[in-house]
Amino acid sequence: MIKLDKDQKYYIDVVLPLNLWNSFTYKVNKKEFDFLQKGMRVAVSFGKQRLQTGIVVKKHFKKPLHYETKPILHIIDNQPIINDFQWELFRFTSSYYLSPPGIVLKAALPGSFMLQSETFLMLNEGVTDNQLQLSDDEYLIVEALQLQKTVSIKSLQDLFGEKKIFKIVNSLIKKGVIRSIQEVKEKYKPKTETYLQLSEQWQGEKINELFEALSKNAEKQRQILLQFFSLQRQGKPVLKKQLLEQSGAGLSSLKSLINKGILFEIKTNIDRINFEAASEQIKELSSSQKTALKEIKSLFLKDKPVLLHGITSSGKTEIYIHLIKEVIKQGKQVLYLVPEIALTTQLVQRLTKIFGNAISVYHSKYSQQERREVWLNVLHKQQTAQIVLSARLGIFLPFQDLGLIIVDEEHEPSYKQVQPAPRYQARDLAVYLHKIYQSPVLLGSATPGIETYFNTRRQRYNIVRLQERFGGVQLPDIEIVDLKEALRRKRTKGNFSEYVLEAIEKTLQVKKQVIVFQNRRGYAPVAQCEDCGHVMDCPHCDVSLTLHKHQHKLKCHYCGYQTEVPLLCPVCGNPSINYKGIGTEQIQNDLQIFFENAVVDRLDSDTTRGKNSFANILSKFQNLETDILVGTQMLVKGLDFANVGLVVVMNADQLLYYPDFRADERSFQMLMQVAGRAGRQKEQGKVLIQTFNPEHPVLQMVLKGDYQSLYNMQIAQRRELFYPPYSKMINLIIKDKNLQKCQEAAEWLQKSFANAFEKVLGPSDALIPRIKNRFIKEVLIKLPPSKTLPEQKRYILKVLNTFHNIAYFKSVQVVVDVDPY
């Protein structure tokens, strides 16, 4: 017997942006069921009076066994905002990085897609305040509700304070005086521009009549109309803002013309991000670039990722541009990933000159509104989103027809998401995107990651080499400066050897610019009393406070704690506080003293907090307004400066002696990238690297630019110690405010995993053992190749699930980091 349609029950499964592995089932009616599609947003009730934005993942007719289904509140979208390609990427990201689907969804979607619910209060019917004993605060709320139907909790928080209001509201709810309701609040507001048009009755030959119709006292209105016709003759729509500015008239005069029916307004939604039209042609490639381009296109046909191993300033970007041009001619989309937000500044300038407004930029410094617009433009394959230039977040965009993926500077650690979850590696997800879309992926680097180069040796990736600089420019002359010897001979000034200061002087004399690299911001990282030895440290973290002299503050770079610089030691009371170590702020100050006629600027996270601050600093340097630029690692990643004659590395030892199995690899990459900023146009540049250990093997490899020797050394060490690429690693980071409980939790996990895995290291203290009053332990698992990855990860999730069900460990947070470091 066939069940009648009227008896049929309809259900949808939705994923919520929460730290939960399950999807949740809601009931819908037939009309809603027919309309809804996978990837649409719906507003649903979850928990006690909580509204959430859910994403539809499935439609079906099966009622869940263990709970009663609720109806959805309303449908938000007319069409899906997530496509099938993305669902596959989200599924893989969740599975591989052991992160719940809701957390992946929350990371991927711009926040403005997630509608917020706001709590409002209403008086219950039939209740009067004189029937009950009310406090003064309770009476104020009731009185407010008698004057207006609803009042938001948010508005009452401003009046009573955040903590106090909930106590008052809960008391009133218990007394039955009020009830709370939830309303969904849309966070997105489109940006609009207002244009003006002339009413039909005054068009054509009636213009003279129009001016005669205006009274003699309406001089301002006449000015507006004259300016309107002037702008209209330029063949463009007349913008209201522009008309008011150029006519010099006030808004009231314009409103009079609108009220008289002479002009009328048209509001148009516009993108928040717009670029100028194309103004330049693509540059002609050199013979070696042409050869590399031909090889790349040939290898794309073999359906494997391609590594472009090109030395610094070899012109990799020009090759990317030629490839992009061919792809967008086919009507396909391009994803161009860069490791740092900072890099987009120069690239946008460069690419918009060639591709105009076919480019969209997507990264976390842009507002949620701007990111939402880019998302929708990519989804609908708009002209303005043919090329998307993005940091790692762009990997999740809803491409419809992805024709090329470029991962520039693929070795950069910035492609790894560290906090919060999902802790994905964008470079690796780009390779997975290549499988989903069947689109070519090009990884570019002068110093490839060891794992990437290993994949080329195992024929998993193909490789193309570009071993000469564009235009025949010579590689920079690199010198190691022995700080130990300079100190012994008393040939130092502050933190500089005299040789380095002389080199800076000579560079400035020939009107060339200088870059000084120090990978630590602030003035000095340690403040210590010379009498009692007390170090000023953070009360919430196990780190010393860094002096920021310009702000007269001691700051913690981990939790944000700050305090005024003390005049006396807080322990012994003596005025003998000494500041040790060097940061970018101190170097800038010193250089300004040594070279008082030079303009010295600084580029670090302290000076680039504003949206356009990075671009402004770079623009000054590029326009030769700055002579010396001091900066951290954000200064050295792929930026192109034509007039840099000298690059100085203040202290290479800070890179070389970092407690990390990748320290040698990262040091080589960083130093080679720093060196690559010098002499990029015509003349050979110079690089000076200060160190106390000039014979260090990595420094000797940097001198020769010998990547192959670095690779051979690293791969032998990793084979012996069972590090990637010979193993997969998962790091468990255990956090709790109670040190003993944190240690016990770490030991419990270590023993549990040691039963299944041979190589489980720890528990050990994290590099910073305490941050924000939470103690941190680590347990590192090296996964053997004898079992499949999914099988091993399922076991890890099973153990973690058991751990979280132990009441004693309820407060303990366990962070799972797949492929750490």
Side-chain angles (χ1 to χ4, degrees):
M1 184 177 172
I2 301 171
K3 188 180 273 190
L4 294 173
D5 186 62
K6 66 179 181 180
D7 297 326
Q8 181 68 68
K9 302 296 183 185
Y10 303 95
Y11 300 96
I12 59 167
D13 289 347
V14 304
V15 174
L16 302 174
L18 302 171
N19 190 19
L20 299 167
W21 283 93
N22 302 334
S23 59
F24 294 87
T25 303
Y26 288 82
K27 59 187 177 184
V28 292
N29 59 40
K30 186 178 187 307
K31 188 177 179 182
E32 291 169 334
F33 186 85
D34 292 339
F35 179 78
L36 283 166
Q37 298 176 55
K38 182 180 179 182
M40 282 185 175
R41 292 176 298 156
V42 288
V44 296
S45 173
F46 184 76
K48 292 184 179 180
Q49 294 187 322
R50 284 183 65 194
L51 293 182
Q52 291 286 350
T53 301
I55 309 290
V56 179
V57 289
K58 187 180 178 183
K59 300 197 295 184
H60 60 92
F61 308 103
K62 189 176 180 182
K63 183 180 178 180
L65 297 175
H66 303 297
Y67 59 90
E68 283 298 316
T69 54
K70 298 177 183 178
I72 63 170
L73 299 175
H74 69 266
I75 298 168
I76 299 170
D77 298 312
N78 292 320
Q79 55 186 316
I81 62 164
I82 297 172
N83 62 37
D84 288 339
F85 297 114
Q86 286 175 288
W87 281 122
E88 174 54 28
L89 180 65
F90 295 170
R91 182 205 62 77
F92 174 79
T93 305
S94 173
S95 169
Y96 186 85
Y97 292 102
L98 301 180
S99 189
I103 295 298
V104 175
L105 197 69
K106 188 177 180 180
L109 283 169
S112 61
F113 277 125
M114 294 295 143
L115 302 188
Q116 287 184 328
S117 65
E118 191 169 340
T119 304
F120 288 83
L121 303 176
M122 291 183 71
L123 278 177
N124 284 326
E125 293 178 11
V127 176
T128 57
D129 54 311
N130 58 8
Q131 293 176 288
L132 298 160
Q133 294 280 331
L134 299 179
S135 70
D136 291 344
D137 289 338
E138 289 171 346
Y139 183 78
L140 280 173
I141 292 175
V142 171
E143 195 176 46
L145 288 169
Q146 286 171 342
L147 294 172
Q148 46 190 330
K149 190 178 178 182
T150 62
V151 175
S152 73
I153 286 277
K154 192 175 179 182
S155 65
L156 292 174
Q157 279 177 352
D158 298 334
L159 186 63
F160 294 99
E162 189 171 349
K163 290 183 179 178
K164 190 177 178 183
I165 185 59
F166 289 107
K167 186 178 178 182
I168 303 167
V169 168
N170 287 335
S171 173
L172 285 169
I173 290 173
K174 281 180 183 177
K175 291 176 181 177
V177 179
I178 64 171
R179 68 182 188 275
S180 65
I181 58 170
Q182 298 281 321
E183 287 187 13
V184 176
K185 192 176 180 183
E186 172 66 85
K187 291 190 281 186
Y188 174 73
K189 290 182 181 177
K191 186 178 180 181
T192 60
E193 280 189 341
T194 304
Y195 294 91
L196 295 164
Q197 280 195 7
L198 188 67
S199 298
E200 281 187 25
Q201 69 183 90
W202 299 109
Q203 291 182 6
E205 297 177 358
K206 294 189 176 181
I207 291 174
N208 291 332
E209 292 179 32
L210 172 59
F211 280 99
E212 288 174 12
L214 291 173
S215 67
K216 292 181 181 179
N217 296 327
E219 186 57 39
K220 292 288 184 182
Q221 293 175 32
R222 290 171 185 271
Q223 286 177 23
I224 290 173
L225 281 176
L226 286 169
Q227 189 62 47
F228 173 85
F229 291 125
S230 173
L231 291 169
Q232 199 179 47
R233 279 195 292 272
Q234 296 174 15
K236 293 181 181 179
V238 178
L239 193 62
K240 179 180 177 180
K241 184 180 176 183
Q242 185 184 15
L243 180 61
L244 285 170
E245 284 175 359
Q246 296 191 12
S247 67
L251 185 60
S252 59
S253 300
L254 178 59
K255 281 183 177 177
S256 296
L257 289 171
I258 293 168
N259 293 336
K260 290 173 183 175
I262 297 170
L263 296 176
F264 64 93
E265 294 180 333
I266 300 173
K267 287 187 184 286
T268 308
N269 289 357
I270 60 165
D271 283 349
R272 285 175 164 83
I273 306 168
N274 276 300
F275 298 110
E276 298 296 323
S279 59
E280 286 186 9
Q281 296 296 312
I282 295 178
K283 290 179 184 176
E284 183 72 23
L285 297 180
S286 67
S287 58
S288 58
Q289 285 175 316
K290 285 177 182 175
T291 302
L293 179 61
K294 188 177 178 182
E295 279 185 64
I296 290 166
K297 287 158 70 174
S298 172
L299 291 172
F300 278 166
L301 301 175
K302 296 187 178 181
D303 198 31
K304 288 182 184 177
V306 177
L307 170 65
L308 176 57
H309 185 189
I311 62 172
T312 55
S313 197
S314 57
K316 294 187 289 295
T317 306
E318 295 305 323
I319 291 174
Y320 301 156
I321 288 169
H322 278 259
L323 287 168
I324 291 168
K325 188 76 172 177
E326 292 182 20
V327 171
I328 64 173
K329 270 186 181 177
Q330 299 165 20
K332 295 187 175 184
Q333 296 167 301
V334 176
L335 173 60
Y336 189 152
L337 290 178
V338 292
E340 292 274 3
I341 293 168
L343 293 188
T344 59
T345 306
Q346 274 197 336
L347 271 175
V348 167
Q349 292 172 356
R350 196 167 176 182
L351 294 177
T352 49
K353 287 176 181 175
I354 295 163
F355 299 110
N357 58 5
I359 292 176
S360 285
V361 180
Y362 191 78
H363 55 62
S364 59
K365 278 283 177 81
Y366 277 12
S367 70
Q368 295 290 352
Q369 318 280 35
E370 290 168 328
R371 278 189 267 170
R372 177 188 175 121
E373 287 170 2
V374 172
W375 181 285
L376 293 174
N377 286 342
V378 172
L379 179 68
H380 299 137
K381 209 178 171 185
Q382 295 293 328
Q383 174 74 24
T384 55
Q386 287 181 286
I387 307 158
V388 178
L389 183 62
S390 176
R392 59 179 176 262
L393 198 57
I395 202 79
F396 294 118
L397 283 167
F399 293 97
Q400 297 288 346
D401 190 8
L402 191 56
L404 175 64
I405 306 161
I406 296 168
V407 186
D408 196 17
E409 309 294 353
E410 64 81 28
H411 64 276
E412 278 290 343
S414 305
Y415 282 122
K416 170 71 175 176
Q417 167 76 4
V418 177
Q419 189 69 20
R423 292 166 177 80
Y424 61 92
Q425 169 43 275
R427 174 199 62 202
D428 296 346
L429 287 186
V431 172
Y432 193 77
L433 266 192
H434 144 79
K435 294 177 183 176
I436 297 173
Y437 285 92
Q438 296 298 300
S439 58
V441 59
L442 181 62
L443 313 173
S445 177
T447 52
I450 297 296
E451 288 95 325
T452 302
Y453 199 74
F454 179 81
N455 283 331
T456 68
R457 303 297 287 268
R458 293 292 177 95
Q459 276 76 55
R460 294 172 190 156
Y461 296 177
N462 290 311
I463 185 168
V464 174
R465 290 182 171 85
L466 190 59
Q467 296 301 310
E468 62 178 62
R469 281 187 148 193
F470 183 76
V473 177
Q474 289 180 289
L475 285 166
D477 174 26
I478 303 175
E479 280 187 55
I480 305 294
V481 179
D482 188 346
L483 276 177
K484 190 162 58 177
E485 183 65 16
L487 282 168
R488 189 180 69 80
R489 295 189 174 190
K490 297 183 180 177
R491 296 207 61 190
T492 59
K493 282 186 181 178
N495 300 294
F496 294 86
S497 75
E498 290 183 355
Y499 181 73
V500 167
L501 292 175
E502 288 167 8
I504 294 174
E505 180 70 47
K506 288 176 184 174
T507 306
L508 295 176
Q509 284 174 356
V510 295
K511 305 298 181 187
K512 290 284 182 182
Q513 292 168 295
V514 179
I515 286 177
V516 179
F517 170 71
Q518 170 66 8
N519 205 23
R520 183 172 280 166
R521 63 190 172 99
Y523 188 88
V526 178
Q528 185 175 28
C529 175
E530 288 192 325
D531 288 338
C532 69
H534 173 71
V535 174
M536 315 296 163
D537 53 12
C538 175
H540 313 297
C541 311
D542 288 341
V543 291
S544 60
L545 294 171
T546 299
L547 172 65
H548 288 250
K549 195 172 182 180
H550 180 68
Q551 298 172 327
H552 202 67
K553 300 275 188 186
L554 291 176
K555 292 185 179 183
C556 174
H557 289 173
Y558 289 87
C559 72
Y561 170 83
Q562 56 182 314
T563 183
E564 295 292 325
V565 173
L567 298 175
L568 304 174
C569 173
V571 174
C572 68
N574 291 325
S576 50
I577 298 171
N578 190 27
Y579 296 97
K580 299 178 179 180
I582 53 171
T584 50
E585 187 183 345
Q586 183 179 163
I587 294 166
Q588 182 188 17
N589 284 7
D590 289 350
L591 287 169
Q592 200 65 76
I593 293 167
F594 296 145
F595 307 100
E596 55 186 36
N597 294 323
V599 178
V600 185
D601 209 346
R602 177 161 51 99
L603 185 75
D604 56 29
S605 56
D606 290 329
T607 61
T608 56
R609 296 197 186 279
K611 183 175 176 181
N612 299 313
S613 51
F614 187 94
N616 293 336
I617 293 169
L618 284 192
S619 177
K620 285 188 204 172
F621 194 67
Q622 210 157 9
N623 295 333
L624 309 184
E625 296 170 35
T626 305
D627 300 306
I628 305 172
L629 186 57
V630 180
T632 55
Q633 60 181 341
M634 63 169 64
L635 178 62
V636 302
K637 297 180 179 179
L639 297 173
D640 189 2
F641 302 112
N643 196 50
V644 175
L646 175 67
V647 172
V648 176
V649 178
M650 288 301 297
N651 189 348
D653 302 329
Q654 288 178 348
L655 303 171
L656 294 165
Y657 296 105
Y658 194 77
D660 178 1
F661 77 94
R662 296 187 194 273
D664 285 353
E665 175 192 1
R666 296 268 166 83
S667 299
F668 180 87
Q669 289 166 341
M670 183 72 76
L671 293 170
M672 291 302 296
Q673 289 291 326
V674 174
R677 300 316 104 208
R680 294 175 70 89
Q681 306 277 335
K682 298 178 184 177
E683 298 172 25
Q684 185 184 29
K686 193 175 188 67
V687 180
L688 299 178
I689 302 173
Q690 294 192 144
T691 176
F692 287 94
N693 189 4
E695 300 305 317
H696 194 288
V698 171
L699 294 180
Q700 294 304 311
M701 292 169 194
V702 170
L703 275 177
K704 300 169 188 173
D706 190 356
Y707 175 82
Q708 193 62 51
S709 292
L710 174 89
Y711 173 80
N712 293 339
M713 178 182 78
Q714 283 290 291
I715 213 71
Q717 290 175 1
R718 296 189 189 187
R719 187 189 298 113
E720 183 182 346
L721 299 171
F722 197 52
Y723 276 116
Y726 294 102
S727 72
K728 288 283 184 181
M729 299 198 311
I730 295 179
N731 194 34
L732 301 172
I733 304 159
I734 301 100
K735 302 179 180 181
D736 196 84
K737 290 184 177 180
N738 183 299
L739 177 58
Q740 183 180 341
K741 189 185 286 190
C742 187
Q743 180 67 29
E744 289 173 5
E747 288 172 357
W748 189 98
L749 288 166
Q750 188 275 331
K751 287 173 186 174
S752 299
F753 289 120
N755 294 330
F757 304 108
E758 290 180 21
K759 297 189 182 292
V760 180
L761 308 181
S764 59
D765 285 338
L767 185 62
I768 309 295
R770 183 176 60 107
I771 295 177
K772 295 182 180 177
N773 288 323
R774 285 191 169 197
F775 296 95
I776 307 170
K777 303 289 179 181
E778 293 184 353
V779 173
L780 183 68
I781 307 169
K782 295 182 181 179
L783 304 181
S786 54
K787 296 180 182 177
T788 64
L789 269 178
E791 183 184 358
Q792 294 178 85
K793 288 178 178 177
R794 277 195 297 272
Y795 179 81
I796 289 169
L797 285 177
K798 185 179 175 182
V799 171
L800 289 173
N801 189 47
T802 303
F803 173 84
H804 289 307
N805 287 326
I806 299 172
Y808 179 66
F809 293 137
K810 191 175 181 181
S811 65
V812 178
Q813 181 188 4
V814 180
V815 174
V816 182
D817 191 2
V818 179
D819 298 341
Y821 312 112

